[in-house]
Amino acid sequence: MTEPVFHTYPAPAKLNLNLLITGKRDDGYHLLDSDFRFIDLCDSIDIALRDDGDIVLLNPIPGVPADSDLTVRAARLLQQASGSTQGASLRLHKRIPMGGGLGGGSSDAATVLLALNRLWGCGLSRAALMQLGVKLGADVPVFIFGRNARATGIGEQLSEISLPEAWYVVLQPTVQVPTAAVFKEFSRRVLTGQAGFSTMRTLATTPPRQNDLQSVVCQMYPAVNEALSALRECGSPLMTGSGACVFLECGDENQAKTVYRSLSSRFSGFVAKGLAAHPMFDRE
Ligand SMILES: C[C@](O)(CO)[C@H](O)COP(=O)(O)OP(=O)(O)OC[C@H]1O[C@@H](n2ccc(N)nc2=O)[C@H](O)[C@@H]1O
Ligand SMILES: Nc1ncnc2c1ncn2[C@@H]1O[C@H](COP(=O)(O)OP(=O)(O)OP(=O)(O)O)[C@@H](O)[C@H]1O
């Protein structure tokens, strides 16, 4: 039997530079208005073709059964949608913290859809892949779209934005935040008049930036508040997505590294560069 040939594909993390909750759909999903930026912290996925039609994750994440891993679900969804009879072996290299609001699972799913669409020769358009991706999670379409973007709807209506070079100090509080619980608590606050939907969008990418889920998460998880307070000594930080990670934007790498060094004995985290586009995006 011949050895399988693996190809490696990157799956970048994202930051939400702004996150407004503008309403709620009848199915319970919330409407957003958010600026997504890709950063250079990436998972990577090795993929080899199989001719037996099976989708095999060779190294499941502890605590996440292979069948529920978003990479496996993405591959099976593409098989169904395209009618492909080919399979794939997947090996996942996780670097993006889980439950951090950095979109790691969604990005992994998007990378599998993009890669297998090519390797299996399915020929689905980017728009068709995005429609498949949103079935796996609201954050998946932007990673298939491939450019920094303003997202509306539940995250599936995207328009490209151009962002200046920037570096980010990202702190990772030692909690994993379940996205569904955060939206549920936000919703409860709206119903009881303790919170409201943001109907007026302020200027997209100039401070002050806002994340409507931040105060909910800070009350549920004091560790997130502590990380924000520490970064406030150096600027105006924000939480990404539904947390738990928080970030501070810096104009140059040295500044970001200096800020991170001053906090690294108290918090885990990293410095990341903002990307101009998804590393798999090729401008045809
Ligand atoms: C908060 C963000 O990270 C911002 O980028 C995303 O909107 C979350 O996207 P995601 O992690 O892909 O979320 P999903 O896996 O689709 O949804 C998890 C759960 O969060 C809630 N949810 C999610 C996204 C959204 N726009 N409205 C919601 O109410 C729903 O209860 C849903 O069942
Ligand atoms: N390949 C995967 N990588 C990470 N998590 C996965 C993966 N597949 C399934 N999951 C599940 O998804 C959950 C959320 O993981 P993820 O790292 O995407 O969170 P997140 O960054 O907070 O997401 P988001 O910002 O999209 O809300 C994990 O706790 C895990 O149970």
Side-chain angles (χ1 to χ4, degrees):
M1 216 174 85
T2 51
E3 282 293 303
V5 180
F6 282 92
H7 295 278
T8 302
Y9 300 88
K14 57 83 176 167
L15 295 173
N16 297 94
L17 302 183
N18 241 330
L19 177 54
L20 307 186
I21 310 292
T22 57
K24 196 173 177 186
R25 294 196 320 199
D26 291 343
D27 66 0
Y29 263 79
H30 291 76
L31 299 168
L32 319 172
D33 190 340
S34 182
D35 296 305
F36 281 78
R37 174 155 223 181
F38 302 123
I39 57 173
D40 67 355
L41 176 73
C42 294
D43 289 343
S44 60
I45 307 168
D46 305 329
I47 304 182
L49 292 178
R50 300 174 65 100
D51 50 22
D52 60 5
D54 288 349
I55 305 297
V56 180
L57 178 59
L58 298 170
N59 60 341
I61 302 169
V64 182
D67 283 347
S68 29
D69 195 285
L70 283 156
T71 55
V72 173
R73 293 178 53 210
R76 293 196 174 134
L77 191 63
L78 184 64
Q79 265 182 333
Q80 268 173 23
S82 66
S84 175
T85 55
Q86 298 188 73
S89 295
L90 310 171
R91 206 187 293 122
L92 189 51
H93 304 276
K94 285 300 292 181
R95 295 182 198 91
I96 304 173
M98 286 169 45
L102 297 168
S106 306
S107 184
D108 295 347
T111 289
V112 166
L113 288 175
L114 286 164
L116 287 180
N117 186 46
R118 285 187 210 165
L119 292 171
W120 287 345
C122 304
L124 267 63
S125 66
R126 194 179 294 277
L129 289 176
M130 285 166 58
Q131 274 177 24
L132 271 189
V134 76
K135 295 182 184 174
L136 298 166
D139 271 348
V140 178
V142 71
F143 291 102
I144 297 169
F145 184 70
R147 287 148 290 163
N148 293 319
R150 176 179 177 181
T152 53
I154 63 163
E156 83 292 13
Q157 289 165 30
L158 296 156
S159 54
E160 181 171 3
I161 54 173
S162 151
L163 295 169
E165 255 200 357
W167 281 260
Y168 299 90
V169 180
V170 182
L171 296 186
Q172 182 192 338
T174 48
V175 286
Q176 282 196 24
V177 175
T179 303
V182 172
F183 276 107
K184 197 170 167 204
E185 173 58 15
F186 179 82
S187 220
R188 192 194 64 78
R189 291 186 183 194
V190 172
L191 281 173
T192 56
Q194 296 162 274
F197 292 125
S198 291
T199 46
M200 293 280 288
R201 181 179 158 104
T202 49
L203 278 178
T205 52
T206 45
R209 290 171 173 158
Q210 168 180 347
N211 180 330
D212 286 340
L213 299 175
Q214 186 170 294
S215 63
V216 171
V217 175
C218 284
Q219 278 190 10
M220 292 167 83
Y221 301 93
V224 176
N225 202 24
E226 281 162 34
L228 281 167
S229 300
L231 281 176
R232 271 193 201 109
E233 288 168 27
C234 310
S236 302
L238 200 73
M239 187 180 80
T240 175
S242 53
C245 289
V246 301
F247 65 93
L248 179 72
E249 184 173 296
C250 299
D252 70 70
E253 188 174 13
N254 279 340
Q255 186 196 358
K257 286 186 168 163
T258 305
V259 170
Y260 180 59
R261 266 197 300 270
S262 73
L263 296 169
S264 59
S265 62
R266 293 162 54 207
F267 296 94
S268 36
F270 53 91
V271 168
K273 187 177 194 300
L275 298 176
H278 190 294
M280 280 175 79
F281 185 76
D282 37 73
R283 280 166 195 273
E284 300 91 314

